Amino acid sequence: MARATIYVGCTVPQLLRGAQSRIFPSDSALGVLRRSAFCYCTGSSTIKSKRKMDHLERTANNFRQEVITQAKVCGITNESETVKRLRLAIANKDFTFKAGQWVDFFIPGVSVVGGFSICSSPSLLKREGILELAVKYTVHPPAHWIHTECTLDSEVALRVGGDFFFDPQPGDSPVNLVLIAGGVGINPLFSILLHIADLHGYPEGKGNRHKLGTVKLYYSAKTTSELLFKKNILGLMKAFPGKITCCFHVTQQRSQICEELQPHVTEGRISEKDLEKHVSNDTSWYICGPPPMIESISKLLANIGVPRNCVFFEKWW
């Protein structure tokens, strides 16, 4: 994400004012969100240089939609020991997103606004009115609320934003993608992967004019137990052989790797040798993970001759 500094008191109330008549049918729900936003803004009017910037500050210069919409939690599962996966029902038909984007996450009674990358595909929202998030536990109030207080039927509000996405249009020249994920940074890249799978799976005879290249995912985590969506990813590789491939990397694996994963797992970090074979004029590179990983991979790509304008990244703190 882009680093930016703003006075948040000029941000959240404007979002809520613009959405009042169109988005929130419930006056009580809107009132709770207004109070949450007010508490947040008055408590953050002065930004201290040593304080870690929050989501709204870091993304102040990023694109944001105008629509803020209510959402209801309709599913909660444990994606790993530290990550919960939320299914959110969206009633507003005007609510859309592009694969790779994130949401501002407003929680009634919680003064801090969360920011979470969407891990589901745009077509799931279109078909079923469902959006999914996978959130790692931290003491940060929005993530803490999801892990300790969120229940089925909990209501929140969402707003889509972000300049990191893959949105090919019919008639575009095919582009090969290399997706590089670190830890929970898989979220937006998994959304992109699902979107590509949806486009591959859409019958050509029904108006699908998308021309798609190949996709290679490199996904690094400490252990295989921390690899999110691994069964889904294996399923995509089987469904689209040669079009979607993946290499999992683990850096601190101590236990035996299961038989199903073994052919796809490499022990050690993602290396220059792994990536240099994908360098071409028609390849785009998407990276998401913690800042040190982003910086390391970006330098590696520069060393092997990848142009800067072919590299896109999303930093999560």
Side-chain angles (χ1 to χ4, degrees):
M1 287 189 171
R3 297 177 184 268
T5 302
I6 61 168
Y7 289 94
V8 184
C10 298
T11 303
V12 179
Q14 291 171 355
L15 306 188
L16 296 176
R17 279 202 300 273
Q20 180 176 2
S21 60
R22 292 177 294 125
I23 307 304
F24 292 98
S26 167
D27 290 339
S28 60
L30 179 62
V32 171
L33 285 165
R34 280 187 181 279
R35 287 193 293 274
S36 297
F38 177 77
C39 292
Y40 176 79
C41 295
T42 55
S44 306
S45 58
T46 302
I47 297 174
K48 298 179 180 179
S49 60
K50 293 184 179 181
R51 181 176 63 78
K52 184 178 179 180
M53 289 191 296
D54 68 13
H55 166 68
L56 290 180
E57 294 167 349
R58 290 195 304 265
T59 61
N61 293 331
N62 286 119
F63 164 81
R64 273 182 166 81
Q65 290 184 3
E66 293 183 1
V67 174
I68 301 177
T69 190
Q70 279 186 307
K72 182 176 288 188
V73 177
C74 61
I76 307 174
T77 56
N78 292 322
E79 189 64 33
S80 74
E81 291 183 0
T82 59
V83 175
K84 284 193 180 290
R85 190 170 179 174
L86 295 188
R87 285 176 64 86
L88 298 160
I90 312 291
N92 185 356
K93 301 300 182 183
D94 295 328
F95 186 88
T96 62
F97 72 94
K98 297 175 182 178
Q101 290 185 307
W102 39 258
V103 291
D104 295 330
F105 195 84
F106 300 91
I107 306 166
V110 177
S111 61
V112 179
V113 178
F116 305 115
S117 285
I118 301 164
C119 65
S120 53
S121 69
S123 64
L124 179 64
L125 177 63
K126 186 175 181 179
R127 291 193 313 266
E128 303 179 26
I130 297 294
L131 177 147
E132 294 188 336
L133 306 174
V135 180
K136 186 172 183 177
Y137 176 81
T138 69
V139 295
H140 190 247
H144 188 265
W145 178 87
I146 287 170
H147 278 261
T148 62
E149 298 184 47
C150 179
T151 62
L152 291 177
D153 295 329
S154 289
E155 292 189 356
V156 296
L158 308 176
R159 185 188 191 195
V160 170
D163 304 309
F164 178 87
F165 56 82
F166 181 66
D167 185 34
Q169 299 301 304
D172 287 352
S173 298
V175 176
N176 297 320
L177 295 187
V178 179
L179 311 178
I180 306 171
V184 77
I186 186 62
N187 278 324
L189 302 183
F190 186 57
S191 177
I192 290 173
L193 200 63
L194 291 173
H195 183 48
I196 292 168
D198 287 336
L199 294 176
H200 274 308
Y202 193 71
E204 290 186 10
K206 293 187 177 181
N208 182 19
R209 294 183 289 115
H210 288 87
K211 298 176 182 178
L212 302 169
T214 62
V215 184
K216 177 74 176 189
L217 170 66
Y218 288 93
Y219 181 14
S220 178
K222 292 179 180 179
T223 66
T224 55
S225 65
E226 295 185 19
L227 292 168
L228 308 181
F229 317 122
K230 50 186 174 285
K231 291 184 178 179
N232 305 84
I233 294 168
L234 291 176
L236 291 175
M237 287 194 287
K238 291 178 182 177
F240 302 100
K243 297 178 180 178
I244 295 176
T245 56
C246 175
C247 182
F248 299 108
H249 283 251
V250 291
T251 58
Q252 298 180 24
Q253 186 76 18
R254 298 291 181 266
S255 60
Q256 181 71 24
I257 297 171
C258 72
E259 186 176 345
E260 186 181 23
L261 277 178
Q262 278 181 357
H264 310 288
V265 175
T266 297
E267 297 199 40
R269 298 185 183 278
I270 300 166
S271 69
E272 182 174 312
K273 185 178 179 180
D274 295 317
L275 302 181
E276 62 185 2
K277 55 192 168 188
H278 302 290
V279 177
S280 71
N281 293 330
D282 58 356
T283 298
S284 292
W285 306 73
Y286 284 73
I287 317 167
C288 186
M293 178 226 175
I294 299 288
E295 291 162 11
S296 173
I297 295 293
S298 295
K299 289 178 182 178
L300 189 156
L301 294 179
N303 290 340
I304 60 177
V306 176
R308 284 188 178 183
N309 63 354
C310 293
V311 179
F312 309 90
F313 60 85
E314 184 85 295
K315 289 184 180 180
W316 283 103
W317 282 255

